[in-house]
Amino acid sequence: MAPQPGPPRARIAFSDSAAKQLEHITSEAEIHALGRALVVVSVDPDVGEPIPGDTAGPQLRQYTDDIEHVRVLYFVTPLRTVVVVAYLEV
């Protein structure tokens, strides 16, 4: 019997500032670390912690991967698209 597929992953998009950060990533270790964090967030967009602030717009969240030592700041749109605002090394 074939395993049942899980829920669909969220689509990942990048803000302009996050896209500029990506242009400067050159090492395979950094690419791997970011890829790992993005997979976690795409599977469960609610995994990150909410960042307190203005409630007028989408809730800004942060996901920290303690193994790869990265933090991703993002928000989730009403259509469940994850928009990455920034990628930071911890």
Side-chain angles (χ1 to χ4, degrees), residues 13-70:
F14 296 94
S15 69
D16 290 341
S17 61
K20 286 180 184 176
Q21 284 182 298
L22 291 176
E23 292 174 3
H24 299 290
I25 295 176
T26 56
S27 80
E28 282 193 41
E30 289 176 324
I31 292 168
H32 174 78
L34 177 59
R36 176 183 163 96
L38 293 177
V39 166
V40 170
V41 171
S42 72
V43 170
D44 181 8
D46 297 321
V47 70
E49 301 172 4
I51 297 175
D54 187 8
T55 58
Q59 175 70 56
L60 192 60
R61 304 180 72 81
Q62 68 177 342
Y63 169 72
T64 303
D65 185 322
D66 294 326
I67 295 171
E68 296 290 347
H69 305 290
V70 299

